[in-house]
C-alpha cells in the first residue's frame, strides 16, 4: 500500500511538472506574413530572428534567444522570430540570405544587428540601443557604472550643454555597439576621480590604469583615442581578439613568443615601450606555438622571440631583422624608427626570372610596380595560387590569351603567384579576396578595372576591347571559345562559422 502511494505521489509530481512545462508561454513572439508588418510598425525597439527549423545554428541560438527575451521583457524590448520555411516569400522580400539572421527594429524599420549570439550579449546590445547613447551618471552610481562593461567611457563635463559632451554624443552614436558611454556633470566627483573638467576617462576590466583624454575635442580625435585606449596594453592577440585590435586603428607591434617563461620576461621588459608608443603602435603578444604561420606571412623566420609591425589598414608589414639575437632594446629602436617614417614596408618576392619572353609575363613583387603601372601599356594581371584548382583550370585559357595578343605591343598579359609574392600596393582594388583575381591596370591613367566575366577566351578579349586604353588587335576567327569549368573562384577567407546560407536549405553543416 505504501509503495502504491509513493508511486502515485511521484506520478502526481511528474504530471504537475509536465503541465507546468506545457503551460509556460514563450517570451518570443511568433511572426508570419499576416502579422509581421503590423507588429513591426508598432515597435520602438525590438529584435527579430529569421530562422529555419532544420538549421543547426538556429537550434544552438534558441536557448540564449529565449532567455534574452525573458530578460528584456522588463525593459519593454520584445524579441520575435519568423520561420522562413513557412513564410518564405516574406523572408525573400526582406532579403534574408541565410539562417539565423537577426535584425534590429528601430521605430518600425529594420536595421543590422551587430551583437553576439549569447544571452548576455543580446541583452547588453539591446539595452544600449534603448536609451540615449551617453547616459547621465549620478555620483553615487559611478563606481558601479564603470564596472558595467569591458570598456566604459565616462565624460566629465561642467554642464549638460557643453560642446565637449556634444562631441562625445556624436562619437557614442558610432561606437555604442562596442562600448558603454556615460557622463558626469559634478566637479567634486571629477576631483575624486583625479580628472580635470572637461575630460574623458576610459575604464577597462583588464587594466587598473585609467586613460584620460584632454586634447582638442573633435570627433576624429575622440574616436581615435577611445579606439586606441580600449585595447589592453601588451595584451594577447589571437583569432578571437584580432577584430578588436584591428578596430583600434593602430599598427600592431607583434611580439611572438614560444614559452610562458619567455612571455613573462618579455612583458616586464616591453611594458615601458608599450606605454611610450601606445598612441602610435599597439604592442601585443602572439603565441608562436599556435600562430607560427602568421609569422611566416610577415616573412619572419620560425625562431623566437621575434617582432614585426603590421599595419592592417594599409596592408603593409615591417619585420624586424633576425640576423642577431633578439633584444628589447632593438624593439624600441625599431618602433621608434618606424614611427619616425624611417622603416620601409617589406614585400615578399620571388626572384626576378632570368628570362621572361613567354606569352604570359611572369611577375614578381620586386618588379610589380614597374611593370603594372607602366602608363604606356595596358596590363592585365592574374593573381593566382598554385594550390587553387580554379586557377589551374583557368591557366590554359590565360596562356591562350597571351599567345593571341602577343603581337599587341602596348598590351601585357601578366600573372603572379600571390602566395609567393606580395602585392606592393595598398589600393583596395588590388586587395586579394579570392583566387583567381584578375584586374586590368589601364594605360595612360592607371585606373584599375576588376574583371568579372566568365573564364572564356572570348570574354577576356571583349573585356580588354571595352576597357583598355589601346586598341586590341585579334582576329575573331582566332578566338576559340576555350572555357574553364566550375565556378571559377575560391573565396578567401572561408565562410563565417555560425551561418547557414539560405541556398543550403536542409543541409546540416
Amino acid at each position: 500500500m505504501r509503495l502504491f502511494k509513493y508511486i502515485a505521489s511521484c506520478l502526481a509530481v511528474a504530471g504537475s511538472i509536465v503541465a507546468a512545462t506545457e503551460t509556460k508561454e514563450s517570451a518570443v513572439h511568433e511572426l508570419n506574413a499576416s502579422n509581421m508588418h503590423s507588429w513591426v510598425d508598432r515597435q520602438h525597439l525590438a529584435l527579430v530572428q529569421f530562422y529555419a527549423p532544420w538549421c543547426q545554428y538556429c537550434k544552438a541560438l534558441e536557448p540564449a534567444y529565449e532567455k534574452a527575451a525573458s530578460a528584456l521583457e522588463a525593459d519593454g524590448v520584445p524579441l520575435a522570430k519568423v520561420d522562413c520555411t513557412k513564410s518564405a516569400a516574406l523572408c525573400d522580400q526582406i532579403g534574408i540570405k541565410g539562417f539565423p539572421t537577426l535584425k534590429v527594429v528601430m521605430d518600425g524599420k529594420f536595421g543590422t544587428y551587430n551583437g553576439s549570439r549569447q544571452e548576455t550579449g543580446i541583452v547588453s546590445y539591446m539595452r544600449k540601443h534603448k536609451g540615449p547613447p551617453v547616459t547621465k551618471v549620478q555620483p553615487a552610481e559611478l563606481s558601479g557604472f564603470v564596472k558595467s562593461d569591458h570598456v566604459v567611457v565616462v565624460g566629465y563635463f561642467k554642464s549638460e550643454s557643453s560642446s565637449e559632451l556634444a562631441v562625445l554624443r556624436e562619437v557614442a552614436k558610432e561606437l555604442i555597439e562596442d562600448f558603454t558611454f556615460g557622463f558626469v556633470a559634478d566637479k567634486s566627483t571629477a576631483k575624486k576621480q583625479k580628472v580635470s573638467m572637461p575630460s574623458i576617462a576610459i575604464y577597462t576590466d583588464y587594466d587598473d590604469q585609467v586613460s584620460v583624454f584632454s586634447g582638442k575635442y573633435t570627433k576624429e580625435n575622440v574616436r581615435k583615442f577611445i579606439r586606441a585606449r580600449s585595447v589592453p596594453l601588451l595584451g594577447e592577440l589571437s583569432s578571437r581578439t584580432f577584430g578588436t585590435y584591428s578596430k583600434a586603428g593602430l599598427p600592431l607591434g607583434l611580439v611572438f613568443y614560444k614559452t610562458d617563461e619567455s612571455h613573462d620576461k618579455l612583458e616586464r621588459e616591453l611594458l615601458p615601450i608599450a606605454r611610450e608608443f601606445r598612441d602610435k603602435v599597439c604592442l601585443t603578444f602572439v603565441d608562436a606555438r599556435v600562430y607560427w604561420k602568421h609569422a611566416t606571412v610577415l616573412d619572419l623566420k620560425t625562431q623566437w622571440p621575434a617582432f614585426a609591425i603590421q599595419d592592417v589598414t594599409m596592408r603593409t608589414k615591417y619585420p624586424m631583422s633576425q640576423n642577431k639575437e633578439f633584444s628589447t632594446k632593438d624593439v624600441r629602436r625599431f618602433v621608434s624608427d618606424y614611427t619616425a617614417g624611417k622603416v620601409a614596408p617589406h614585400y615578399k618576392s620571388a626572384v626576378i626570372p632570368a628570362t621572361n619572353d613567354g606569352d604570359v609575363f611572369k611577375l614578381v613583387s620586386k618588379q610589380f610596380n614597374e611593370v603594372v603601372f607602366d602608363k604606356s601599356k595596358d596590363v592585365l594581371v592574374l593573381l593566382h595560387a598554385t594550390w587553387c584548382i580554379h586557377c589551374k583550370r583557368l591557366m590554359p585559357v590565360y596562356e591562350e590569351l597571351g599567345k593571341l595578343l602577343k603581337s599587341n605591343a602596348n598590351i601585357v598579359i601578366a600573372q603572379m603567384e600571390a602566395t609567393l609574392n606580395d602585392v606592393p600596393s595598398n589600393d583596395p582594388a588590388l586587395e586579394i579576396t579570392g583566387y583567381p583575381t584578375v584586374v586590368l591596370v589601364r594605360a595612360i591613367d592607371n585606373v584599375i578595372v576588376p574583371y568579372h566575366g566568365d573564364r572564356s577566351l572570348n570574354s577576356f578579349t571583349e573585356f580588354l576591347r571595352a576597357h583598355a586604353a589601346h586598341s586590341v588587335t585579334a582576329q575573331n576567327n582566332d578566338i576559340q571559345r576555350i572555357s574553364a569549368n566550375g565556378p571559377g573562384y575560391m573565396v578567401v577567407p572561408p565562410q563565417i562559422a555560425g551561418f547557414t546560407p539560405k541556398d543550403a536549405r536542409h543541409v546540416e553543416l
Side-chain angles (χ1 to χ4, degrees):
M1 191 67 171
R2 287 181 181 176
L3 178 62
F4 175 77
K5 287 183 178 179
Y6 174 75
I7 294 173
S9 64
C10 289
L11 290 173
V13 171
S16 65
I17 293 173
V18 171
T21 303
E22 290 176 348
T23 57
K24 183 182 178 182
E25 290 186 8
S26 169
V28 179
H29 299 261
E30 290 274 1
L31 302 180
N32 52 47
S34 64
N35 66 358
M36 192 195 75
H37 291 298
S38 59
W39 186 87
V40 167
D41 288 342
R42 297 194 304 270
Q43 306 308 319
H44 169 63
L45 178 66
L47 185 64
V48 180
Q49 176 197 172
F50 296 86
Y51 75 102
W54 49 261
C55 167
Q56 70 174 37
Y57 299 121
C58 304
K59 294 175 184 176
L61 173 62
E62 186 176 358
Y65 197 73
E66 186 70 47
K67 289 178 182 177
S70 298
L72 288 167
E73 278 187 313
D75 297 271
V77 179
L79 269 62
K81 61 182 180 181
V82 177
D83 183 345
C84 288
T85 63
K86 295 180 180 179
S87 303
L90 175 66
C91 294
D92 289 340
Q93 178 188 350
I94 295 170
I96 303 303
K97 302 297 183 184
F99 310 115
T101 292
L102 299 176
K103 286 189 173 291
V104 177
V105 178
M106 298 186 74
D107 296 324
K109 295 181 180 179
F110 281 117
T112 304
Y113 173 80
N114 293 314
S116 76
R117 294 184 186 175
Q118 305 301 317
E119 175 198 352
T120 54
I122 295 171
V123 171
S124 173
Y125 185 93
M126 298 307 291
R127 281 176 176 165
K128 283 182 180 180
H129 284 75
K130 181 187 177 185
V134 183
T135 303
K136 183 176 182 179
V137 183
Q138 299 299 330
E141 301 170 343
L142 183 62
S143 60
F145 183 80
V146 298
K147 297 176 183 177
S148 63
D149 205 346
H150 297 300
V151 179
V152 177
V153 182
V154 179
Y156 294 88
F157 307 114
K158 294 178 181 178
S159 72
E160 295 186 38
S161 60
S162 70
S163 59
E164 294 86 359
L165 177 55
V167 172
L168 183 61
R169 281 176 171 146
E170 288 300 309
V171 174
K173 289 177 184 178
E174 299 176 17
L175 306 183
I176 192 171
E177 293 173 4
D178 297 321
F179 313 115
T180 295
F181 290 84
F183 77 94
V184 174
D186 182 77
K187 190 175 181 178
S188 61
T189 302
K191 188 175 181 180
K192 287 179 183 178
Q193 293 293 314
K194 298 180 180 179
V195 296
S196 59
M197 299 178 81
S199 63
I200 297 172
I202 298 181
Y203 302 83
T204 67
D205 60 4
Y206 47 73
D207 193 345
D208 293 334
Q209 287 196 340
V210 178
S211 297
V212 180
F213 175 81
S214 56
K216 186 177 180 181
Y217 278 77
T218 66
K219 279 181 63 176
E220 183 179 3
N221 288 347
V222 172
R223 186 195 304 111
K224 281 184 176 180
F225 171 78
I226 293 171
R227 283 292 191 197
R229 296 302 181 96
S230 63
V231 293
L233 195 66
L234 270 181
E236 192 79 13
L237 188 69
S238 65
S239 57
R240 183 179 59 84
T241 62
F242 184 78
T244 301
Y245 278 99
S246 298
K247 287 180 181 179
L250 293 174
L252 302 176
L254 308 180
V255 183
F256 289 87
Y257 68 94
K258 186 75 177 285
T259 66
D260 294 342
E261 292 77 15
S262 173
H263 174 282
D264 295 344
K265 179 177 182 294
L266 288 169
E267 186 175 35
R268 290 191 298 270
E269 296 177 0
L270 290 171
L271 196 57
I273 301 171
R275 286 202 177 102
E276 180 182 356
F277 294 100
R278 74 172 302 169
D279 291 323
K280 296 180 179 179
V281 178
C282 183
L283 264 62
T284 67
F285 281 111
V286 184
D287 191 339
R289 294 166 293 190
V290 180
Y291 299 106
W292 63 269
K293 282 188 177 180
H294 189 69
T296 63
V297 170
L298 299 172
D299 269 9
L300 289 171
K301 302 171 188 174
T302 53
Q303 60 186 51
W304 322 112
F307 181 75
I309 294 175
Q310 181 178 11
D311 190 326
V312 178
T313 304
M314 300 301 291
R315 303 199 306 278
T316 50
K317 56 190 177 185
Y318 307 80
M320 190 176 81
S321 174
Q322 294 174 283
N323 291 334
K324 61 179 181 177
E325 188 176 352
F326 183 91
S327 161
T328 53
K329 289 182 179 179
D330 287 338
V331 171
R332 191 202 172 281
R333 187 182 301 110
F334 188 79
V335 175
S336 178
D337 287 346
Y338 168 81
T339 57
K342 297 178 181 179
V343 183
H346 173 84
Y347 297 104
K348 178 170 60 177
S349 178
V351 177
I352 297 175
T355 59
N356 212 338
D357 52 5
D359 296 330
V360 175
F361 189 91
K362 293 184 178 179
L363 273 173
V364 296
S365 183
K366 289 179 180 177
Q367 59 181 171
F368 186 93
N369 290 335
E370 176 189 350
V371 174
V372 172
F373 294 106
D374 180 351
K375 290 191 175 182
S376 69
K377 291 179 172 62
D378 291 292
V379 184
L380 187 71
V381 184
L382 164 65
L383 301 169
H384 67 97
T386 304
W387 48 260
C388 169
I389 190 170
H390 304 306
C391 303
K392 292 177 182 178
R393 289 172 177 167
L394 172 61
M395 205 57 75
V397 181
Y398 203 73
E399 292 283 353
E400 190 71 20
L401 178 68
K403 182 178 180 180
L404 179 69
L405 302 181
K406 184 73 173 176
S407 61
N408 292 256
N410 293 320
I411 295 177
V412 177
I413 307 301
Q415 55 126 320
M416 187 170 82
E417 218 292 7
T419 63
L420 301 178
N421 296 275
D422 293 327
V423 177
S425 171
N426 54 29
D427 191 312
L430 288 172
E431 183 178 5
I432 299 173
T433 57
Y435 295 111
T437 289
V438 183
V439 297
L440 170 68
V441 181
R442 200 163 62 195
I444 303 173
D445 57 12
N446 279 168
V447 168
I448 301 171
V449 185
Y451 175 77
H452 293 300
D454 62 40
R455 305 315 193 203
S456 68
L457 191 61
N458 184 64
S459 180
F460 278 115
T461 53
E462 289 304 312
F463 171 78
L464 288 169
R465 282 173 172 157
H467 299 287
H470 298 293
S471 59
V472 178
T473 303
Q475 296 295 325
N476 286 336
N477 56 7
D478 290 339
I479 301 175
Q480 303 174 32
R481 294 180 179 274
I482 303 174
S483 177
N485 295 322
Y489 192 73
M490 187 168 289
V491 176
V492 177
Q495 174 185 316
I496 298 171
F499 184 79
T500 306
K502 189 173 66 174
D503 294 338
R505 297 178 196 226
H506 305 291
V507 178
E508 295 288 350
L509 299 180

